[in-house]
Amino acid sequence: MTFVKKHSSQILVHILFWMLFVFVSLFLFSDFYWKENPFLQYLTLLVIIVYGNNFLLLPFFVKKKMYLLYTLVFAAISFLATQLYCYSFAKCGCTIIKCLSDYLWQSLVPLIFFSFIWILYRFIDKENEIEAIKKEHVEMELKFLKSQINPHVLFNNLNTIYSYSLEKPTEVPDMILMLSDNLKHVLYESNSKTISLEKEIRFIDNYMKFQMLRTEGTKQVNYKKSIDSYRYQIAPLLIITIIENAFKHSVLNSEISIFIGVENGILECICENDYDKEKGNTTDFRIGLQNLEKRLELIYKDAYEFRIDKGESFKVYLKLDFK
């Protein structure tokens, strides 16, 4: 049943061809076919030759890439089949040249047509296989990139809780609850291709609370939002990569500015921070944003804009088109 469903178009093509072939052979050519009916007898042998070619010869020679030898075998089969029809079925008593000129088409047309159909559908199957492999590769790459992101979020939060357990232990219980929400988001919800924008922003808000507590007295954090609707879906853990990068690589006693805006289906995230210019080109500095750009290209393709400006401050701009 699965085979029939998968190859239903091929089966239909085969049936229609044989119906047309029989009609043309019996109704549009010599009345001789009606008197002795040799064509209908030959048709059985022709079907055997055609499908023997499709199921045995073509797969074998194509796999071995013996195209010239296959051409010679193909020509020999066509010639012998035509001679067989002339002298064993039609018994026309004509010369070899006359036989070929009058009857070669009956052997040649089905063989060429079904060889072409076999090659065409093999090409389509190969293309589908390549697309499936590409899709699987993209999914594996996305999972790999996510796996690189998830530990960063977890370890940063754990470090914050650890430092507060030493300095301000009374605030630790609330922080553990926030960490629990973050873990749920990272371990479960982020495995989806997309999640609601509301959940992603809530996760970012939670993360920002951790960072504001952790950097209190050492960094000034300006976090602003302007969101006209939360009804959109977004790939998880995109924005957080930009924000994490800002906290990770900003220098002490500096300012971090983060803005997230959504208006008319367009999301903009602007993150700016002071940084050490000597370390600005190191691999450690770039890896998180490089991974982010790969994910954006895989998921959003032409529906995003991503820029990094290195001037007096380090500025990252992300624009996503949800429409």
Side-chain angles (χ1 to χ4, degrees):
M1 187 65 182
T2 305
F3 176 85
V4 173
K5 186 179 292 186
K6 180 181 179 182
H7 300 281
S8 57
S9 62
Q10 293 185 57
I11 294 170
L12 181 60
V13 168
H14 282 237
I15 292 172
L16 290 176
F17 173 85
W18 286 119
M19 290 174 63
L20 180 63
F21 183 69
V22 171
F23 174 81
V24 170
S25 298
L26 296 183
F27 290 90
L28 300 185
F29 284 85
S30 172
D31 292 338
F32 177 76
Y33 296 134
W34 285 104
K35 294 175 183 177
E36 299 296 335
N37 219 8
F39 173 77
L40 292 180
Q41 299 170 24
Y42 176 66
L43 184 63
T44 302
L45 181 61
L46 189 59
V47 168
I48 294 173
I49 292 172
V50 165
Y51 290 107
N53 175 63
N54 271 35
F55 291 111
L56 297 175
L57 297 181
L58 261 174
F60 174 78
F61 285 105
V62 169
K63 183 178 180 180
K64 299 290 185 180
K65 297 183 179 180
M66 302 164 66
Y67 305 119
L68 180 60
L69 182 58
Y70 172 73
T71 302
L72 296 175
V73 172
F74 184 92
I77 290 173
S78 301
F79 175 80
L80 293 174
T82 303
Q83 297 304 308
L84 182 66
Y85 178 77
C86 288
Y87 299 111
S88 298
F89 291 91
K91 298 179 181 179
C92 63
C94 51
T95 64
I96 292 177
I97 301 299
K98 174 67 173 175
C99 177
L100 291 175
S101 64
D102 288 350
Y103 302 112
L104 179 61
W105 70 271
Q106 289 185 342
S107 303
L108 209 55
V109 169
L111 278 168
I112 291 175
F113 177 80
F114 285 114
S115 295
F116 171 76
I117 292 298
W118 185 89
I119 293 170
L120 175 63
Y121 277 95
R122 184 173 183 270
F123 173 78
I124 293 173
D125 288 341
K126 283 289 184 183
E127 287 295 304
N128 291 337
E129 184 179 334
I130 290 171
E131 285 300 316
I133 291 172
K134 284 183 179 178
K135 184 178 179 182
E136 184 178 351
H137 176 74
V138 168
E139 290 176 353
M140 289 178 64
E141 188 169 2
L142 283 174
K143 287 180 180 178
F144 172 72
L145 292 172
K146 280 185 180 180
S147 71
Q148 290 182 305
I149 296 170
N150 292 354
H152 294 164
V153 179
L154 174 60
F155 293 147
N156 283 348
N157 290 344
L158 284 173
N159 287 336
T160 303
I161 292 176
Y162 173 74
S163 63
Y164 264 69
S165 68
L166 299 176
E167 299 172 7
K168 300 178 182 179
T170 57
E171 297 184 24
V172 169
D174 290 336
M175 296 178 71
I176 291 175
L177 288 177
M178 285 194 292
L179 176 60
S180 176
D181 289 339
N182 281 9
L183 284 174
K184 179 182 176 182
H185 184 87
V186 171
L187 297 177
Y188 299 107
E189 294 173 351
S190 68
N191 289 326
S192 304
K193 289 183 178 180
T194 60
I195 62 171
S196 70
L197 181 62
E198 183 179 9
K199 287 183 178 179
E200 187 70 3
I201 295 298
R202 190 187 308 133
F203 168 71
I204 292 171
D205 290 343
N206 208 356
Y207 177 83
M208 290 301 299
K209 290 177 184 176
F210 268 93
Q211 295 304 317
M212 287 177 180
L213 289 172
R214 188 173 69 87
T215 59
E216 186 178 6
T218 60
K219 295 178 185 179
Q220 181 180 345
V221 180
N222 299 315
Y223 175 48
K224 295 180 181 179
K225 297 181 297 180
S226 177
I227 300 174
D228 64 358
S229 175
Y230 288 92
R231 62 184 177 85
Y232 303 106
Q233 295 285 310
I234 186 173
L237 303 177
L238 292 178
I239 300 173
I240 195 65
T241 305
I242 299 173
I243 297 174
E244 274 202 305
N245 188 78
F247 280 102
K248 182 178 180 181
H249 297 292
S250 59
V251 295
L252 291 174
N253 301 315
S254 63
E255 183 177 344
I256 299 174
S257 297
I258 299 165
F259 171 77
I260 301 174
V262 177
E263 185 175 357
N264 297 325
I266 302 294
L267 180 144
E268 288 185 306
C269 176
I270 304 170
C271 191
E272 189 172 3
N273 62 276
D274 296 325
Y275 71 110
D276 187 340
K277 295 178 179 61
E278 294 182 0
K279 297 180 180 180
N281 292 317
T282 62
T283 301
D284 181 60
F285 197 94
R286 298 194 310 266
I287 189 168
L289 296 179
Q290 287 176 341
N291 286 343
L292 172 62
E293 193 163 13
K294 287 181 181 179
R295 289 190 68 205
L296 288 168
E297 182 62 29
L298 288 169
I299 300 169
Y300 288 97
K301 294 185 179 179
D302 299 325
Y304 81 95
E305 183 179 345
F306 183 69
R307 295 197 309 267
I308 299 174
D309 298 323
K310 297 179 183 178
E312 290 303 315
S313 62
F314 191 90
K315 186 176 181 180
V316 180
Y317 174 82
L318 172 63
K319 178 181 177 182
L320 297 179
D321 189 346
F322 294 129
K323 294 180 288 187

